Amino acid sequence: VALRNGGFVVSSYSNDGYGIQMYNNAGVSQSITAPIGFTSSVNPSAKVLASNDGGFVLLWTVLDTNTNAVSLEFQRYTSAGAISGARYSEAFASTSPVVQNAAIDIHGNIAVPISSNDVYTPSQVKLWNASDVAVGIYNTAYYQSAAVIAPMYGGGFDLFGNDIVAGVGNTASSYY
């Protein structure tokens, strides 16, 4: 993902776990520290979101092979690549966070779709504020498929999806 300072961050996955690397605007590798547990995670789902302050947020999922529960974890970084604040972690027992559709708005709020994996339960979008406090859950009109989230220009998020159960087709709504 491109950063506001012209640099960029790359997150990758291999059988050995995740990797993360930051580069400056000249393409030179910068030394950054991966969060504890990030490099040994076994569920290949990670995303980097560029924040308005020049830093970034690294999101990833971890599969608990004993319970099959999926945890969402994220860590904020400064524009210099230093870890900022504590790592956030939350386990989801019967639903799955979909980090590839996550977004961050200009205020630093993070929205992550949560897939229900079930035709009778709507998918959700969970919102965290810039202090990493969970501040809300929005029940979408979409079943089984996770919402696609886009940050709005002045803050907040637009949600897009497809209600395949009701046959409604593509729908959209706003979430702040």
Side-chain angles (χ1 to χ4, degrees):
V1 68
L3 302 176
R4 293 185 60 86
N5 65 5
F8 58 99
V9 177
V10 176
S11 174
S12 61
Y13 178 79
S14 73
N15 290 335
D16 298 327
Y18 294 109
I20 183 169
Q21 186 58 58
M22 180 177 174
Y23 298 87
N24 67 15
N25 60 359
V28 177
S29 176
Q30 305 297 294
S31 177
I32 63 172
T33 302
I36 294 170
F38 176 70
T39 57
S40 61
S41 298
V42 292
N43 189 24
S45 189
K47 184 170 185 176
V48 178
L49 303 172
S51 57
N52 201 44
D53 64 3
F56 60 95
V57 179
L58 173 64
L59 298 96
W60 71 100
T61 56
V62 177
L63 175 64
D64 182 330
T65 55
N66 294 321
T67 65
N68 284 330
V70 176
S71 292
L72 168 68
E73 305 200 8
F74 61 83
Q75 177 69 62
R76 291 183 189 264
Y77 284 80
T78 67
S79 59
I83 288 177
S84 175
R87 180 184 64 169
Y88 180 88
S89 180
E90 179 178 347
F92 292 82
S94 60
T95 57
S96 300
V98 183
V99 298
Q100 297 307 319
N101 294 2
I104 188 169
D105 73 4
I106 64 168
H107 305 296
N109 300 316
I110 299 171
V112 177
I114 311 297
S115 176
S116 64
N117 303 318
D118 163 347
V119 296
Y120 302 106
T121 306
S123 294
Q124 300 175 321
V125 173
K126 189 158 186 179
L127 179 71
W128 290 266
N129 66 18
S131 299
D132 299 339
V133 175
V135 294
I137 294 178
Y138 176 81
N139 288 319
T140 71
Y142 325 129
Y143 292 77
Q144 284 188 307
S145 61
V148 175
I149 303 173
M152 294 191 299
Y153 178 73
F157 302 95
D158 274 337
L159 313 178
F160 303 91
N162 189 344
D163 186 350
I164 57 175
V165 173
V168 174
N170 293 328
T171 57
S173 58
S174 295
Y175 180 50
Y176 303 93

